[in-house]
Amino acid sequence: METKIVAIDAGQPQPERIQEAARIIQSGGLVAFPTETVYGLGADALNPQAAQKIYAAKGRPSDNPLIAHIADFEELPALAAEISDTARTLMRLYWPGPLTLIFKKTETVPFATTGGLDTVAVRMPSHPVARALIRAAGTPIAAPSANRSGRPSPTKALHVREDLDGHIDMLLDGGEVGIGLESTIIDVSSSRPLLLRPGFISEETLKKTLKRLAVDTACMEPMAPGVHPRAPGMKYRHYAPQAPLTIVRGTDAQVEKAICFQAKEALCAGKNVGILCASESLLTYRHRLKKEGCRDCQSGRLLASCVCSLPYKDGEARLMLEVSGSRREPAEIAHHLYDALRSFDRARMDVIFSESFECGSLGGAIMNRLKKAAGYHILEV
Ligand code: AMP
Ligand code: MG
């Protein structure tokens, strides 16, 4: 299959391009499109065959349910059997926006969309392209992140192409997304609201409105074997780059020292090494690695990646420093996280070390993704 790539204005999407994409959705096809969180892989949420195609294109296990996206409040009652007062409060505060709510499903929603569950996840995105597409299609759009299952979510059209080119009908290229992390998910299908996935709307912020908000332990910890997850997606490996990733945690100075030590060991063994760090520590790494014999480190823009190399006995191993953003701007770190992980793949790094980014109210969501990407491989120093 050839994937048609169509540029679209993120602020004022061209109606004829939206119409073309909407016709594909209506006829059961797949269209990747930008949302404010990450790129989504869209299909008609009410068409079981179309939902199946999403699972096939992503290589996603069929019990990992999809989120149905709507553009207007009036579309919700067709999908959600019960809408609690808590849900109404959250919708008033955060829709349209990066919040997904889990409801008991109506009969209209096929089990193919909900992974066999009797609940349905619904979100109302704020991105103009997503909203225009849902309205033009005239149906809720099921849209998980537009990546191969397990890989970092796509925040640029390039990332979608890396994973899905040739497997989907169309990609609407609306440039880079704004937030860069998937939506916050809250289960409002029972009496006590339960946070299933942290996101841009943080636990801290939510607790100001929802005093009784419970937090699923699987948000931050690996799941114990045999435990049945509340959100089936929790049990799968997620967001991971190809090379093994280790998070190093401790004081800034200890972390910098430990990462440089580990990097040098790996370089001397001939491995290409990626380091993900905050902009505040970039100069320290450069200085230390230069002292260790690394050369060709380019100076320049702080957000640009820096590649240098170290000769070892059989040749030369490369080192790549990626800056995730400033610790004073956690939203910048969230925005750049997946792109940084994917750039290590493009540069064929063999091992990756990352600082820990437990900063600000977004730190929970960032570390939730990073820990899963690392398979919970954390080095405490
Ligand atoms: P993704 O679309 O890749 O961002 O993943 C969607 C997430 O929403 C997955 O982790 C799912 O497990 C979760 N999810 C979707 N529908 C439900 C549901 N009905 N109950 C619980 N979790 C859900
Ligand atoms: Mg995903």
Side-chain angles (χ1 to χ4, degrees), residues 38 58 60 64 144-151 153-154 182 197 238-239:
V38 300
K58 279 181 64 86
R60 180 171 172 128
N64 190 358
S145 48
N147 51 279
R148 287 283 299 171
S149 191
R151 301 263 302 135
S153 296
E182 305 79 358
R197 178 171 76 186
H238 254 105
Y239 320 120

Side-chain angles (χ1 to χ4, degrees), residues 327-379:
R327 290 189 186 280
R328 288 186 300 276
E329 298 285 346
E332 191 186 355
I333 296 180
H335 181 254
H336 193 55
L337 183 68
Y338 292 137
D339 190 37
L341 294 179
R342 280 178 177 267
S343 52
F344 290 131
D345 284 345
R346 277 194 294 275
R348 301 186 191 287
M349 294 293 115
D350 298 308
V351 284
I352 306 169
F353 299 98
S354 175
E355 295 183 345
S356 184
F357 304 106
E358 269 129 0
C359 36
S361 61
L362 256 183
I366 295 169
M367 290 312 295
N368 165 274
R369 307 310 193 272
L370 195 59
K371 283 181 187 173
K372 286 180 198 240
Y376 293 94
H377 194 242
I378 301 171
L379 186 66

Side-chain angles (χ1 to χ4, degrees), residues 285-305:
Y285 285 109
R286 283 204 173 140
H287 186 68
R288 273 182 180 269
L289 291 161
K290 215 169 178 176
K291 276 214 312 216
E292 299 283 3
C294 281
R295 55 178 202 224
D296 292 330
C297 226
Q298 296 155 0
S299 58
R301 292 169 304 145
L302 273 188
L303 269 172
S305 65

Side-chain angles (χ1 to χ4, degrees), residues 60 64-65 67 102 117 119-121 144-145 185 196-197 230-233:
R60 180 171 172 128
N64 190 358
I67 297 174
I102 311 281
L117 298 174
T119 50
V120 61
S145 48
I185 304 182
L196 294 180
R197 178 171 76 186
R230 292 294 297 266

Side-chain angles (χ1 to χ4, degrees), residues 81-292:
E82 285 167 28
I83 306 171
S84 65
D85 289 343
T86 305
R88 286 181 202 283
T89 306
L90 290 170
M91 282 153 49
R92 223 178 9 253
L93 285 170
Y94 300 113
W95 278 11
L99 177 70
T100 296
L101 296 174
I102 311 281
F103 301 95
K104 291 208 168 66
K105 84 171 193 71
T106 61
E107 281 183 7
T108 311
V109 185
F111 284 111
T113 299
T114 67
L117 298 174
D118 56 9
T119 50
V120 61
V122 186
R123 178 163 104 80
M124 186 190 288
S126 62
H127 196 292
V129 171
R131 297 176 67 74
L133 182 61
I134 298 162
R135 284 200 178 124
T139 181
I141 295 185
S145 48
N147 51 279
R148 287 283 299 171
S149 191
R151 301 263 302 135
S153 296
T155 57
K156 296 175 173 175
L158 166 71
H159 302 161
V160 181
R161 286 172 59 190
E162 282 173 350
D163 282 18
L164 297 175
D165 203 7
H167 298 276
I168 60 178
D169 298 287
M170 184 185 269
L171 161 60
L172 290 173
D173 179 353
E176 221 171 316
V177 302
I179 293 176
L181 292 183
E182 305 79 358
S183 58
T184 304
I185 304 182
I186 302 178
D187 187 341
V188 287
S189 68
S190 51
S191 57
R192 185 161 187 200
L194 179 65
L195 179 66
L196 294 180
R197 178 171 76 186
F200 189 73
I201 303 170
S202 68
E203 182 186 332
E204 214 170 83
T205 307
L206 288 164
K207 280 193 165 155
K208 287 184 191 142
T209 317
L210 296 182
K211 298 276 181 292
R212 295 178 60 246
L213 180 70
V215 180
D216 198 292
T217 50
C219 281
M220 284 328 252
E221 289 163 22
M223 292 206 0
V227 170
H228 189 71
R230 292 294 297 266
M234 288 170 164
K235 71 181 177 226
Y236 297 111
R237 185 163 177 257
H238 254 105
Y239 320 120
Q242 266 139 25
L245 164 67
T246 303
I247 300 170
V248 183
R249 198 156 60 182
T251 65
D252 290 354
Q254 283 168 329
V255 168
E256 287 158 6
K257 195 169 158 200
I259 288 185
C260 285
F261 177 79
Q262 299 276 343
K264 168 104 193 282
E265 294 274 292
L267 286 165
C268 289
K271 289 184 176 159
N272 297 323
V273 180
I275 298 177
L276 182 62
C277 67
S279 54
E280 285 82 358
S281 39
L282 181 65
L283 290 176
T284 311
Y285 285 109
R286 283 204 173 140
H287 186 68
R288 273 182 180 269
L289 291 161
K290 215 169 178 176
K291 276 214 312 216
E292 299 283 3

